[in-house]
Each structure stands twice: as structure tokens, then as C-alpha cells.
């Protein structure tokens, strides 16, 4: 049985954010490394380091919080395309999240990238998730 690694990383980050944990540990794969790298570039994560423990690699990420973070949940993640239902879009129909404030992560023929990069390169692909 295959595991959905993208859903696992999004759920881990969402659960840590809801419980106000600063550190998230997820299994390291090529896809999760790329997604965490995008989250780091977009400013949702402060830093990332790779940790090896008993023949397995993990990514240890530190979430970014604002100082007055008491009642509002800042980080929202939603898995769109899943193993049972793949969602594809061309570059003209990639949705804009909150008018461009959020990001869409896509899997394209040129790798995993954000919606802004895909529109600039004029390539579409599978919509993996929304983050806002």
C-alpha cells in the first residue's frame, strides 16, 4: 500500500501549527524536500535541517510565527490533487489563492513549483496543494 507523502507533510505541519509547536519532523523524500524548500522560500518556515536517525532521513523544520499569535490560525494548507483524484490545470487556469496572497504548489514537467513560477514559464501541471 502506497503512502501519500504530500498529505502526510501537510497534515504534520497543520497539526503542529494548531498545537503551536515550532518544530515539525517529516520523512525526507525528494517531493517533501522540494515542498519544504518552497515553504522556506515563501516565508512559511524559518529554517530546515536534515536529520539522519537509524537508517532513515528526516527533515526538521521550524515554523514561523508572529508575536501576537494567540487566537488566529495563520497557516492553512489544503491538499487538492490526491492519489484517487488527480486535478490538472493549464497555466491560464491556475487558481489564485486570496488574490495572490496564498500559493499553489504544482507538479509540472519541469519539477515542483509555485503558481507564480508556472505562470511565468507558461506551463501547467497537477495542482498538489493550496497554502495561505
Amino acid at each position: 500500500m502506497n503512502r501519500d507523502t504530500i498529505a502526510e507533510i501537510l497534515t504534520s505541519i497543520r497539526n503542529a501549527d494548531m498545537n503551536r509547536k515550532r518544530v515539525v519532523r517529516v520523512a525526507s523524500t525528494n517531493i517533501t524536500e522540494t515542498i519544504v524548500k518552497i515553504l522556506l522560500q515563501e516565508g512559511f518556515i524559518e529554517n530546515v535541517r536534515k536529520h539522519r536517525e537509524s537508517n532513515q532521513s528526516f527533515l526538521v523544520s521550524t515554523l514561523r510565527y508572529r508575536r501576537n499569535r494567540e487566537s488566529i490560525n495563520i497557516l492553512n494548507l489544503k491538499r487538492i490533487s490526491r492519489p484517487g483524484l488527480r486535478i490538472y490545470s493549464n497555466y491560464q487556469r491556475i487558481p489564485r489563492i486570496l488574490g495572490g496572497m496564498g500559493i499553489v504548489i504544482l507538479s509540472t514537467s519541469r519539477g515542483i513549483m509555485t503558481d507564480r513560477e508556472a505562470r511565468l514559464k507558461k506551463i501547467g501541471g497537477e495542482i498538489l496543494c493550496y497554502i495561505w
Side-chain angles (χ1 to χ4, degrees):
M1 184 168 160
N2 293 334
R3 297 178 354 181
D4 187 7
T5 57
I6 298 169
E8 286 179 9
I9 185 173
L10 294 177
T11 303
S12 297
I13 293 172
R14 186 182 310 113
N15 289 343
D17 186 53
M18 286 191 319
N19 290 326
R20 293 187 174 89
K21 304 281 185 192
R22 281 190 62 87
V23 178
V24 179
R25 189 177 104 165
V26 294
S28 176
T29 63
N30 289 339
I31 293 173
T32 57
E33 285 181 20
T34 308
I35 291 174
V36 167
K37 182 178 153 188
I38 289 173
L39 291 175
L40 183 65
Q41 289 172 351
E42 294 292 326
F44 293 107
I45 292 177
E46 280 185 19
N47 62 11
V48 177
R49 63 183 167 88
K50 201 166 189 178
H51 179 69
R52 187 156 182 86
E53 184 178 299
S54 68
N55 205 15
Q56 281 190 335
S57 293
F58 295 98
L59 293 173
V60 180
S61 307
T62 305
L63 298 179
R64 178 167 290 185
Y65 289 121
R66 294 185 180 171
R67 291 183 191 266
N68 57 357
R69 183 172 178 355
E70 293 182 11
S71 63
I72 299 174
N73 204 7
I74 305 278
L75 189 60
N76 292 308
L77 304 109
K78 184 176 181 184
R79 177 80 157 114
I80 302 302
S81 185
R82 49 193 171 87
L85 178 64
R86 305 286 185 184
I87 306 294
Y88 296 95
S89 175
N90 62 10
Y91 77 95
Q92 297 162 336
R93 293 190 179 178
I94 297 173
R96 294 185 190 273
I97 306 303
L98 294 177
M101 296 295 288
I103 62 170
V104 177
I105 297 180
L106 293 109
S107 176
T108 66
S109 59
R110 296 187 190 162
I112 296 176
M113 61 181 67
T114 64
D115 56 336
R116 290 181 211 111
E117 293 175 54
R119 282 191 200 97
L120 286 174
K121 295 179 180 179
K122 295 188 177 183
I123 53 175
E126 180 183 354
I127 299 174
L128 298 178
C129 61
Y130 298 157
I131 301 172
W132 70 97

